[in-house]
Amino acid sequence: GAGRPSGGPRRRVDARGRGRLSVVAVQTGPQKPSPSPSPSSPAADEAEALQNLLKREYKYGFVSDFESFSIPKGLSEATVRRISELKAEPAWMLDFRLAAYRRFLTMAEPTWSDNVYSPVDLQSLCFYSAPKTKPKLNSLDEVDPELLKTFDRLGIPLGEQKRLSNVAVDAVIDSTSIATTHREALMAKGVIFCSISEAIREYPDLIKRYIGSIVPPGDNYYAALNSAVFSDGSFCYVPKDTVCPMEISTYFRINDKETGQFERTLIVADERSTVSYLEGCTAPAYDSNQLHAAVVELVCEEGAEIKYSTVQNWYAGDEEGKGGIYNFVTKRGRCKGRGSKISWTQVETGSAITWKYPSVELVGDDTVGEFYSVALTKDYQQADTGTKMIHKGKNSRSRIISKGISAGKSRNCYRGLVQMNSGAENAYNSSQCDSLLIGDNAAANTYPTIQVGCTSGRVEHEASTSKIGEDQLFYFQQRGIDHEKAVAAMIGGFCRAVFEHLPYEFAQEVDALMNLKLEGSVG
């Protein structure tokens, strides 16, 4: 079947002679490729129907025509200084950028992932591009109407009459934020939500305290690059004993063909506060690759909770693998205080190359980290994604549910780390990593790493691989259910454990997106 199989062998072994590790490894579906059907056989007709199931046009691939200002291409110290100058930043922020850039110069691009791609030529990229017209504070009067039309077409209306009533949105295009909705309503509750450029100027003490504290500039190659050249992004601070009165959201859009996007997101939940954040993204359908290298930092104080949900729908390239976004992102949260909780939920359907591992450091006692993920690849897409759960506090708990779906000639890799330090007494982790193959040419790999350094830690890891084939689809067809509905039913059941954790605001979008992506590229 296409869902998670039951039964299978179970082994219980020691992890380094300490703690307990439960492992379930189940593989279902054919162990070797089945023979190709003859052109006139019913199986060939089934295969042809599968081949045509995932071919819908990427509806967000349009290019908006508005005037923009761009700095010259290339990366140098002068580039970093120019970005800081354009953002009217204080001296301490320029110092942060320059230190990151100098660290970046000492680093080499990593090559250990499963992803295979042409090297990124940073000197051919523009690192800052922004619409020429800028809005007044809390006003859209000076925004180019074409920009407003762009976000209307994306389903993110920004105008007063059309804007979403229950979601505050920070709209970022290329290198700048053009609008943030519902700021006054949030500020009435003490919640700060604005672009990170504004936060650097208006709330410097908060930014100085937290930026780079979770993801240091020297953490990795692309984090160092981002720290040097990031141009905008979102900042949210929720004060003590406050439940954020509405969902907050950032929508990222790349429009310029030769511009990389390097946004930075920083969310701080103070003691006993709660916030839910939604993130979406799209890009035009260009025939060349674009780079998106972001950093996200989450800070969770005692008793606080952050829920971070992403629907990633960057342009993935055409059927031949031409074009698409390189999506290289560092996302990390830290549960600092006792009883705090961070939950990552993501649906990854876009980008030509995806390389990201949303992670949680469980520092405080009784902290909770969760990761729920669906990663769908088709055609020539490649995804190397997963999570890291680092247990440091006593009685810390983490849960991982990862669903990978591979179609066409794509490659989908889950890479995860569960680490329990010596002080993480009675820590517990449950991991479930399931892969679903559609057709005979897709690939799925799983690389779990488990390190238990305490005697009372417990880790449970379960993995399965299954396949949608002609026999299952024929079973549905016998009962009057066509191929598209059959695949949708199997995918829906396979992904249910993740989808149920998505906010209501994303439910319809994800349902439509999965159907959109899964029509026409099975095979």
Side-chain angles (χ1 to χ4, degrees):
R4 182 175 66 86
S6 59
R10 180 179 290 271
R11 295 187 295 138
R12 189 175 296 276
V13 298
D14 275 342
R16 297 185 176 180
R18 297 174 292 182
R20 287 185 293 166
L21 169 68
S22 298
V23 179
V24 177
V26 181
Q27 182 168 357
T28 64
Q31 303 301 303
K32 58 183 179 180
S34 48
S36 300
S38 63
S40 59
S41 69
D45 296 336
E46 299 285 338
E48 184 178 356
L50 283 173
Q51 296 273 347
N52 294 324
L53 195 59
L54 290 183
K55 293 182 181 176
R56 278 187 188 169
E57 184 180 355
Y58 178 70
K59 69 176 183 178
Y60 303 110
F62 62 88
V63 180
S64 300
D65 183 17
F66 55 83
E67 281 193 288
S68 62
F69 164 78
S70 301
I71 64 175
K73 296 179 186 177
L75 177 63
S76 65
E77 184 172 312
T79 307
V80 177
R81 291 182 179 275
R82 180 61 172 149
I83 292 172
S84 189
E85 178 187 6
L86 288 167
K87 309 299 283 187
E89 292 177 344
W92 62 266
M93 192 67 241
L94 175 59
D95 292 341
F96 176 89
R97 290 180 180 275
L98 291 175
Y101 177 68
R102 288 159 189 158
R103 181 65 184 271
F104 170 77
L105 293 177
T106 69
M107 305 172 80
E109 184 174 5
T111 58
W112 46 261
S113 81
D114 274 15
N115 298 328
V116 179
Y117 58 94
S118 301
V120 179
D121 181 8
L122 297 178
Q123 300 305 324
S124 69
L125 293 179
C126 170
F127 284 84
Y128 183 89
S129 178
K132 279 191 175 180
T133 51
K134 285 285 293 179
K136 297 175 184 176
L137 188 62
N138 297 320
S139 170
L140 295 174
D141 293 343
E142 294 184 11
V143 176
D144 188 326
E146 187 66 29
L147 279 175
L148 298 182
K149 289 179 185 177
T150 295
F151 283 94
D152 280 343
R153 290 181 69 181
L154 295 170
I156 312 292
L158 301 176
E160 289 285 353
Q161 304 304 318
K162 299 179 181 178
R163 67 175 52 168
L164 303 173
S165 61
N166 59 337
V167 181
V169 178
D170 183 22
V172 178
I173 192 161
D174 290 333
S175 301
T176 191
S177 168
I178 66 164
T180 305
T181 65
H182 298 296
R183 287 184 62 172
E184 299 88 349
L186 291 170
M187 187 59 75
K189 298 290 185 180
V191 177
I192 301 169
F193 180 49
C194 61
S195 73
I196 201 161
S197 296
E198 292 173 279
I200 289 169
R201 295 190 298 268
E202 298 176 19
Y203 308 100
D205 292 341
L206 284 173
I207 300 299
K208 281 183 188 178
R209 179 178 176 184
Y210 291 111
I211 194 168
S213 64
I214 309 301
V215 180
D219 186 83
N220 63 72
Y221 180 83
Y222 284 106
L225 176 62
N226 175 281
S227 298
V229 302
F230 77 90
S231 45
D232 226 325
S234 298
F235 172 71
C236 181
Y237 172 80
V238 186
K240 295 179 181 179
D241 301 303
T242 301
V243 175
C244 189
M246 64 181 73
E247 307 270 5
I248 61 171
S249 172
T250 306
Y251 198 97
F252 297 102
R253 174 73 176 176
I254 297 177
N255 191 69
D256 192 87
K257 184 174 183 178
E258 297 173 322
T259 297
Q261 190 174 71
F262 307 91
E263 84 270 4
R264 187 130 191 156
T265 301
L266 174 59
I267 300 176
V268 180
D270 216 329
E271 296 175 6
R272 299 172 299 281
S273 66
T274 302
V275 61
S276 176
Y277 177 88
L278 317 178
E279 177 187 57
C281 43
T282 59
Y286 292 128
D287 58 6
S288 57
N289 298 109
Q290 295 167 282
L291 176 62
H292 171 251
V295 168
V296 176
E297 298 179 285
L298 308 183
V299 183
C300 223
E301 301 288 358
E302 181 177 345
E305 180 176 349
I306 298 175
K307 183 174 184 178
Y308 193 108
S309 305
T310 302
V311 173
Q312 186 270 105
N313 191 24
W314 294 119
Y315 179 53
D318 64 17
E319 295 175 18
E320 302 301 320
K322 192 174 183 179
I325 301 292
Y326 287 176
N327 186 36
F328 302 154
V329 179
T330 303
K331 291 184 171 182
R332 188 174 305 150
R334 179 174 297 153
C335 290
K336 294 178 64 177
R338 185 185 187 95
S340 55
K341 178 181 178 180
I342 291 176
S343 178
W344 300 97
T345 304
Q346 63 177 31
V347 177
E348 303 277 335
T349 64
S351 75
I353 310 287
T354 298
W355 198 359
K356 58 184 289 193
Y357 311 98
S359 307
V360 183
E361 295 179 20
L362 299 161
V363 178
D365 295 344
D366 302 304
T367 49
V368 178
E370 296 176 336
F371 175 77
Y372 305 102
S373 173
V374 170
L376 166 66
T377 56
K378 66 168 192 171
D379 297 328
Y380 286 88
Q381 282 180 272
Q382 301 176 70
D384 194 315
T385 184
T387 186
K388 292 184 280 188
M389 294 290 174
I390 311 298
H391 292 255
K392 297 179 180 179
K394 297 177 183 177
N395 304 309
S396 53
R397 306 186 307 280
S398 63
R399 186 184 188 195
I400 299 169
I401 298 181
S402 174
K403 305 286 185 176
I405 305 167
S406 307
K409 297 181 180 180
S410 66
R411 298 176 61 86
N412 202 328
C413 162
Y414 169 82
R415 193 183 304 272
L417 169 66
V418 176
Q419 183 181 85
M420 294 181 178
N421 294 356
S422 58
E425 297 176 11
N426 297 314
Y428 172 75
N429 166 267
S430 172
S431 298
Q432 179 183 330
C433 305
D434 300 323
S435 299
L436 181 63
L437 298 173
I438 303 178
D440 295 326
N441 298 311
N445 297 313
T446 301
Y447 304 110
T449 299
I450 300 170
Q451 300 170 350
V452 181
C454 59
T455 57
S456 55
R458 182 183 175 193
V459 179
E460 296 178 355
H461 182 91
E462 179 179 338
S464 71
T465 304
S466 52
K467 181 179 178 183
I468 291 181
E470 286 82 6
D471 50 348
Q472 291 104 324
L473 294 173
F474 183 68
Y475 177 87
F476 277 90
Q477 191 176 38
Q478 282 182 315
R479 286 148 182 82
I481 302 172
D482 65 25
H483 288 80
E484 183 173 350
K485 291 180 179 178
V487 172
M490 286 186 275
I491 294 294
F494 181 73
C495 300
R496 184 177 296 116
V498 173
F499 287 169
E500 65 186 14
H501 291 279
L502 282 169
Y504 173 77
E505 288 79 7
F506 272 170
Q508 287 186 323
E509 181 177 355
V510 169
D511 183 57
L513 192 58
M514 296 299 286
N515 287 329
L516 186 73
K517 291 288 182 178
L518 281 168
E519 180 176 313
S521 66
V522 182

